[in-house]
Every structure is written in structure tokens, then in C-alpha cells.
Amino acid sequence: MADEDSRAWRVLRAAPSLVPFPVRVQCLRALVAEDRAAFRAHSLSGNMPPSVEAFLGGGRTINVRRDQLVIDGFEGLSGLGAQLKGLVRVQFVDEHGIQEAGVDGGGLFKDFLDNLTREAFNAEYGLFKATPEQLLYPNPSSRVVAANHLQLFEFLGRILGKALYEGILVELPFAGFFLSKMRGRPNELNDLSSLDKDLYKNMLFLKRYQGDVQDLSLFFMVEDNEYGDKQQVELIPGGKDVPVTRANVIKYIHKVSNHRLNTQIKMQSNAFLHGVQDLIQLQWLKIFNEEELQMLISGSLARLDVSDLRANTHYTGGYYDGHPVIEALWNAVESFTPDEQGAFLRFVTSCSRGPLLGFRHLEPKFCIQKSGTAGSNAPDSTADLERLPTAATCMNLLKLPPYSDEDMVRSKLLYAISAGAGFDLS
């Protein structure tokens, strides 16, 4: 099915809705695996520059300051283009410029990717804005935020493409109209509701207005607001002098919609999508609708399948499936509300949603490690029972002290996930 010249693939592209979503996800993973193999073979054929071959052979290592994730990530990775398909290792550096201990076996890059996306896509950073529903789309005024805003958008597109390529989930809720752009579908009036519901309602009101439209004193221009700097933009040549009438009101409605959904963010969107498509081909994304694409990015909307998670969990440090503390843990997780279960998953993996095809596809595997010395003769063994669980999200690892009963397991775990106090990078 991964063969893009096959009849099955042609049918899939022509009528993707006829194929169940999980099957299409499997097709995407097969296409990525095939692309990865071809990329690797090409790199070993001697057709790439020596510097690229060296990068592909051992992977590129970038130094990243934890308080400068976007800047250091951009400087270290922005020039790679499609070569970002190769292996990338991260070496974190503390505030004193000293490299942190540890070797990146893949977990640190996941941690870097998660924290980079949280920072760079945050509306407070300025490159993206959020709708009232807190859904993300490019900031039309991003040039005010950074002179190199288009290079940053291309870089962030590549980062999202890398996450999709590697199957790493990132919690980035995008606005529907921007997801349409990722799929290569042009936006129109009905997409306006995913950007500005009030404006959409106003356009529908205008479309159905039975009175004299000219009484509304509208002209073919809109007002853009860039951080308090208001600018009038003509929707057609000489638009500030062209009144909206019953004869041209439909044209006006579509011009306003096109400006808000397409024209205002055209450069930012094009740069971002160019970055994504360096790793994920557009035709691969077109087999998914907007809601499905969001699930590809951020994971399943279904409630946590505790049985599936348990069946795909590894144990270490003396724990095993059936250990009294482990039994207490799974009983506690089963009793959690859906929001609490999502918080538990985010606490350990950095994402509140599970993999689309089940936890057997989670990388690294979910793992629970016995922490502390409780139950032994060590001097601090009793104190361990007062500690909270901690997690190493880069390794999907939960470090769980051997609490004495199920109530303590539940209360300590809930406190840790609600307070966000248990993060521990190992």
C-alpha cells in the first residue's frame, strides 16, 4: 500500500473517506518508513555532500540552552531542510554554559521538541495567535515580532513535519482554517467561523439582509490592527470609494473572508507549509480531513484506554505487572476522571492523548520504575514514602515510590499530576 504508484494508493487519494482512518494512518507510517529507507540509501550512495553524509552517519548534535530553546534550535537546525529527516541529538546546556550529564538516545530530542513547540507556538511568543477557543493560527503581524519571522515560520513548519515524520505527538490545537491550509485546501466563507465566529455571523447577516445594503455605509475596505497601529486595506483597487450595494454584497463578503483567511497570513502560511513539506509530502496529508490531521498531530480524542496502556508498559527496579503497588496504581488510574487520566498521561509522556494506533506504537515505551529504598533497611527508606512520584517525560518514565496502600498511591499521584511538581529529567 505504501507504493505511491499502486492502484490502491490512487484509489486512496481519490476517495480517502472510503478507507477507515486507522488504515490511512498505517499507510502514512508505511510511506514514511519507505521514504526514510530511500533517504538513507541515497545518503549512502555518495550523491550527497561529505558534510551531509557525516551528519547522516552519526547524527547531528546541537547544543541547546534550556532558556533559549527557539533561538538555539533555529540556529542548529534551520539550515538542514529535508536533511532533518536524519538523526538529531540534543545536548542541553545549563545557565552556566556547562553541558548537562547524559547521552541522547532519542528521549532528549523528544523533550526538546515538546518544549520548543510549547514555547514557539504559544500566542505570547508572538508568531502565532489564538482564537477565542484557543486554537492557533499564524499572527498576521508577526513581522513586528521578529524581522526574520518568515524563516522562523519555515523552521517551525519543519519542526512540526519532524514530529509527524517521527510519530511524536505534540499538543498544538490548530484552527480549522489553518489545518485546511496544511492540506492544500483554499479557505472560503464557511471557514471563517473557525477564525472569528462573530465576523462569520456578521457576514451571514449581511448576506441575508433584506433592507437597503447601502444604508449600512460599507465600502470595499477593511481595517487591520497591528498592535494598536490601525491600517485601512482596500479589498479591490480603489475600494475605499466603492460602496457595498445589493448588487455587489456577495463579492464583498467573499473578499472580506479571503482577506482574513488567506491574504493576511499568506506569507506566514506559505513559509510554514514549505517547512512541513520538506519532510511530509502534501499528497500524504490530503488523505486526511482537518479533524483527522489534528489527531495525527496531537493524538486520539478517545478516553485513555487503561487496559491497552497497561498491556504495553514495561517495569524496572523491582516492579512487575501484578506487584501490589502496580495493582494499586492501575486501580487508581482506572478511577480517575477523563481529565485526570489525561493529566496523568501528560505527566509521564508530555502529551495528554494516546497514540492513534495504540500504546504499542508509543516510543519510547511507557515504563514504571521503582524509586527510593522504602521497604529496605536504608536510613532514608521511610522518608521515601513521603515523596511524590516523578516523571522523565523524555523517556515516558514514571518513577513511583512503593507506597504502602492504594489510597496513598492515588492521593500522591493526583497531587503530583495536578501540581505539575513531579518533573524530573534523568
Side-chain angles (χ1 to χ4, degrees):
M1 188 66 173
D3 183 359
E4 294 179 62
D5 294 324
S6 69
R7 180 175 181 275
W9 173 247
R10 291 196 298 271
V11 171
L12 178 59
R13 282 190 295 178
S17 61
L18 298 179
V19 181
F21 175 57
V23 175
R24 281 178 281 139
V25 175
Q26 290 176 329
C27 290
L28 175 63
R29 300 320 308 166
L31 288 166
V32 168
E34 187 178 84
D35 182 83
R36 195 194 307 275
F39 176 74
R40 188 71 183 176
H42 183 61
S43 71
L44 297 175
S45 67
N47 294 326
M48 289 190 174
S51 60
V52 175
E53 290 186 7
F55 162 57
L56 293 170
R60 166 168 293 199
T61 298
I62 60 170
N63 290 327
V64 176
R65 295 166 292 176
R66 289 191 178 275
D67 60 347
Q68 300 290 337
L69 287 170
V70 180
I71 293 175
D72 291 350
F74 176 76
E75 291 181 353
L77 300 175
S78 63
L80 291 180
Q83 308 309 323
L84 193 57
K85 294 176 181 179
L87 178 65
V88 177
R89 293 189 178 95
V90 171
Q91 176 66 64
F92 282 112
V93 179
D94 66 18
E95 64 271 20
H96 305 294
I98 300 174
Q99 291 185 344
E100 296 180 2
V103 177
D104 187 6
L108 290 182
F109 179 74
K110 173 181 176 291
D111 181 53
F112 160 75
L113 194 71
D114 176 62
N115 286 286
L116 171 66
T117 53
R118 286 177 189 269
E119 180 176 338
F121 286 86
N122 190 309
E124 293 183 1
Y125 194 82
L127 290 176
F128 281 79
K129 293 187 73 173
T131 69
E133 295 76 28
Q134 298 305 301
L135 303 177
L136 299 169
Y137 65 96
N139 181 1
S141 305
S142 58
R143 63 182 178 80
V144 179
V145 176
N148 65 337
H149 66 127
L150 296 182
Q151 290 93 332
L152 285 170
F153 273 110
E154 187 170 347
F155 166 64
L156 293 179
R158 235 174 255 130
I159 288 295
L160 180 62
K162 178 69 170 175
L164 288 167
Y165 199 81
E166 302 295 343
I168 298 174
L169 300 178
V170 286
E171 293 205 58
L172 296 174
F174 289 111
F177 79 95
F178 189 57
L179 289 166
S180 295
K181 288 183 179 294
M182 291 190 205
R183 299 180 58 247
R185 184 178 73 80
N187 289 297
E188 51 193 28
L189 174 60
N190 288 337
D191 297 298
L192 193 59
S193 64
S194 68
L195 171 65
D196 188 330
K197 282 185 167 55
D198 289 337
L199 180 58
Y200 177 64
K201 290 177 182 177
N202 290 340
M203 292 297 102
L204 291 184
F205 167 80
L206 188 58
K207 184 178 180 180
R208 299 163 183 162
Y209 187 62
Q210 297 299 312
D212 188 345
V213 176
Q214 286 188 267
D215 290 343
L216 302 176
S217 300
L218 297 173
F219 293 85
F220 273 77
M221 67 178 185
V222 292
E223 188 173 78
D224 291 345
N225 190 336
E226 290 192 359
Y227 296 101
D229 181 20
K230 296 181 179 180
Q231 298 180 347
Q232 291 185 339
V233 179
E234 293 184 329
L235 299 174
I236 59 175
K240 64 183 179 64
D241 298 318
V242 179
V244 178
T245 66
R246 179 168 297 280
N248 62 22
V249 66
I250 298 300
K251 180 180 180 180
Y252 170 79
I253 290 170
H254 287 287
K255 287 290 184 181
V256 170
S257 301
N258 182 63
H259 177 75
R260 295 301 186 200
L261 294 169
N262 300 312
T263 306
Q264 267 195 305
I265 59 172
K266 181 178 180 179
M267 292 189 298
Q268 294 91 333
S269 298
N270 287 346
F272 186 86
L273 300 182
H274 183 270
V276 172
Q277 291 165 24
D278 274 344
L279 286 91
I280 301 292
Q281 296 181 31
L282 176 60
Q283 61 183 351
W284 299 354
L285 297 179
K286 283 185 173 181
I287 65 174
F288 303 100
N289 63 32
E290 287 76 9
E291 183 179 345
E292 292 167 343
L293 180 54
Q294 182 64 68
M295 287 194 286
L296 279 178
I297 294 168
S298 300
S300 173
L301 294 171
R303 180 169 179 167
L304 174 64
D305 187 339
V306 180
S307 297
D308 180 44
L309 176 58
R310 181 171 184 171
N312 291 282
T313 294
H314 293 176
Y315 303 95
T316 185
Y319 281 150
Y320 53 88
D321 193 29
H323 187 287
V325 176
I326 296 302
E327 288 289 350
L329 169 73
W330 293 123
N331 288 340
V333 175
E334 284 276 15
S335 72
F336 287 171
T337 66
D339 286 345
E340 290 169 343
Q341 289 180 342
F344 166 72
L345 197 57
R346 184 189 295 113
F347 180 74
V348 183
T349 70
S350 77
C351 186
S352 64
R353 300 176 182 178
L356 291 175
L357 300 179
F359 283 98
R360 66 189 177 91
H361 294 277
L362 182 67
E363 290 293 341
K365 296 299 183 185
F366 197 93
C367 184
I368 302 175
Q369 174 182 308
K370 183 179 180 181
S371 67
T373 57
S376 70
N377 294 322
D380 62 345
S381 61
T382 303
D384 285 332
L385 297 180
E386 299 303 316
R387 295 175 181 171
L388 291 173
T390 57
T393 56
C394 61
M395 296 302 295
N396 297 332
L397 175 67
L398 173 66
K399 300 180 180 181
L400 183 69
Y403 298 120
S404 57
D405 57 60
E406 187 172 321
D407 287 341
M408 181 176 284
V409 171
R410 191 178 195 280
S411 62
K412 291 286 189 180
L413 190 57
L414 273 178
Y415 186 88
I417 65 178
S418 61
F423 176 77
D424 174 36
L425 180 65
S426 299

